[in-house]
Amino acid sequence: MELIRFRTLDSVGVFLCFLWLLSKVLSEQEVENLSGLSANPDKDIFVVRENGTTCLMAEFAVRFLVPYDVLALNGIDLITEQATLALPRGAEIEGKCGNTDAELYVSWMNNAYTFRIYFSKEKRTVGSDGKEKETEIWKINKVQLVYDTSESSHFINAYNPTSRASLLWSAGKRTASTHRLSALVTPAGRSYVCTAQQTLTLLSSDHQKGITISMSDIQIQPFDIKSDFVFSEPYKCMTDQREQLEETLPLVLGLILGLIIVITVTIYHFHLKLTAPQSQLPRDRSLYKNM
């Protein structure tokens, strides 16, 4: 009897272990770099999937302008040069999806460079017509760039003083981060779309140098994706809305002006008809002989 009980317990344990392993496999995240599908060679496409469903999508073209130190010709003074970086098509990505937090990491050149974007979703109270209304939004709350100035293909003749710390950490390794960022604020359940260039400034650990990140042709959604590989309803950035208004405004004004001209000409035409002198026939029929 005891032997049968132990065997039953063993079977239950094996079954529970199998379920645990199965849940781990199913909950694993998949990351895909689909940049090769873009017709724009500067545009990158990244997808993070969880449990077989897309949970984060990001498309953008990005450039990094990174200042770094170079020894002057006298071998004493330092001068500042600038390196221009871009994401290669074969970059490796990692992602994290959550209910209120999400992350996207893009690394290339054997982790010499890592671009990190942190997303958050929160509730905000906004006022409208004297009434307060709670709404949910998502945004980028932090951006980081890890780079290595000892990587000579971009940082030519960079000055990297050696130290004890460099024995464990590359002398050229730097981390640049934003401070209290609130960018790409978008209503929850929608994707952020912006063709115009968006610029962020990061402060580097290398003497607080300012690094410029320029992003354009953007479409991003880190939460609430309803269909696999499909962005939700787009939310256009203010710059695109303004440019679209500037493009359509002359056309609208032209149509209004044309309509005003047509109405004016029509009114003038009827006015001439109404005020034109009309010939009257004489009442005395004897006058017809002289006509």
Side-chain angles (χ1 to χ4, degrees):
M1 191 70 180
E2 291 295 326
L3 181 60
I4 295 175
R5 183 182 299 175
F6 280 129
R7 285 181 178 177
T8 304
L9 289 176
D10 286 344
S11 300
V12 171
V14 170
F15 179 70
L16 291 175
C17 184
F18 172 76
L19 288 179
W20 180 80
L21 289 174
L22 182 62
S23 66
K24 290 290 289 181
V25 171
L26 292 177
S27 63
E28 284 184 358
Q29 292 180 344
E30 303 172 30
V31 290
E32 297 182 66
N33 185 342
L34 303 179
S35 303
L37 300 179
S38 174
N40 181 356
D42 297 324
K43 186 174 182 178
D44 299 281
I45 304 174
F46 305 114
V47 176
V48 179
R49 304 178 78 242
E50 190 174 69
N51 298 327
T53 304
T54 303
C55 58
L56 187 155
M57 291 178 67
E59 298 182 8
F60 48 75
V62 63
R63 284 284 185 274
F64 308 93
L65 193 61
V66 185
Y68 64 99
D69 291 331
V70 175
L71 273 177
L73 293 177
N74 59 16
I76 300 175
D77 299 325
L78 295 176
I79 58 176
T80 300
E81 297 286 350
Q82 288 188 331
T84 302
L85 310 177
L87 298 182
R89 282 288 173 97
E92 297 180 358
I93 70 169
E94 295 181 23
K96 172 188 172 185
C97 294
N99 294 326
T100 58
D101 296 285
E103 300 171 11
L104 178 66
Y105 296 173
V106 185
S107 303
W108 65 102
M109 291 195 72
N110 296 322
N111 293 322
Y113 305 99
T114 302
F115 180 42
R116 300 170 180 161
I117 308 177
Y118 299 83
F119 305 91
S120 65
K121 186 166 66 170
E122 62 186 41
K123 293 182 178 180
R124 285 187 176 181
T125 302
V126 295
S128 177
D129 299 329
K131 299 179 181 179
E132 290 188 349
K133 181 181 178 182
E134 192 175 64
T135 183
E136 197 171 33
I137 58 96
W138 66 263
K139 64 179 183 179
I140 292 179
N141 63 357
K142 187 177 180 181
V143 172
Q144 277 189 338
L145 176 66
V146 178
Y147 61 100
D148 191 348
T149 56
S150 64
E151 195 280 301
S152 58
S153 63
H154 291 96
F155 298 96
I156 302 171
N157 299 324
Y159 175 71
N160 295 304
T162 56
S163 63
R164 289 183 179 180
S166 67
L167 297 177
L168 299 175
W169 180 260
S170 173
K173 208 76 171 181
R174 305 283 186 269
T175 301
S177 304
T178 53
H179 180 63
R180 294 182 180 178
L181 182 64
S182 182
L184 278 59
V185 179
T186 306
R190 300 177 66 178
S191 62
Y192 178 89
V193 176
C194 196
T195 304
Q197 182 172 287
Q198 306 289 298
T199 302
L200 298 173
T201 300
L202 284 63
L203 291 180
S204 173
S205 56
D206 181 17
H207 309 299
Q208 297 300 303
K209 284 182 168 58
I211 291 175
T212 302
I213 297 180
S214 299
M215 300 176 69
S216 60
D217 204 7
I218 307 168
Q219 186 162 15
I220 295 178
Q221 186 174 356
F223 304 101
D224 306 318
I225 296 178
K226 297 177 182 178
S227 300
D228 207 17
F229 292 105
V230 178
F231 284 108
S232 299
E233 180 186 357
Y235 175 78
K236 284 191 175 183
C237 63
M238 292 302 297
T239 308
D240 279 6
Q241 293 181 28
R242 193 180 305 115
E243 289 181 354
Q244 185 177 6
L245 180 61
E246 290 174 354
E247 291 176 359
T248 57
L249 189 59
L251 178 61
V252 173
L253 292 176
L255 291 174
I256 294 174
L257 181 60
L259 184 60
I260 291 173
I261 292 173
V262 170
I263 293 173
T264 303
V265 171
T266 304
I267 293 174
Y268 180 70
H269 177 70
F270 279 106
H271 175 73
L272 288 179
K273 276 192 171 184
L274 293 173
T275 58
Q278 299 179 1
S279 58
Q280 296 182 356
L281 297 175
R283 293 182 180 180
D284 189 355
R285 294 185 179 181
S286 63
L287 296 176
Y288 287 147
K289 297 178 181 180
N290 301 323
M291 292 179 66

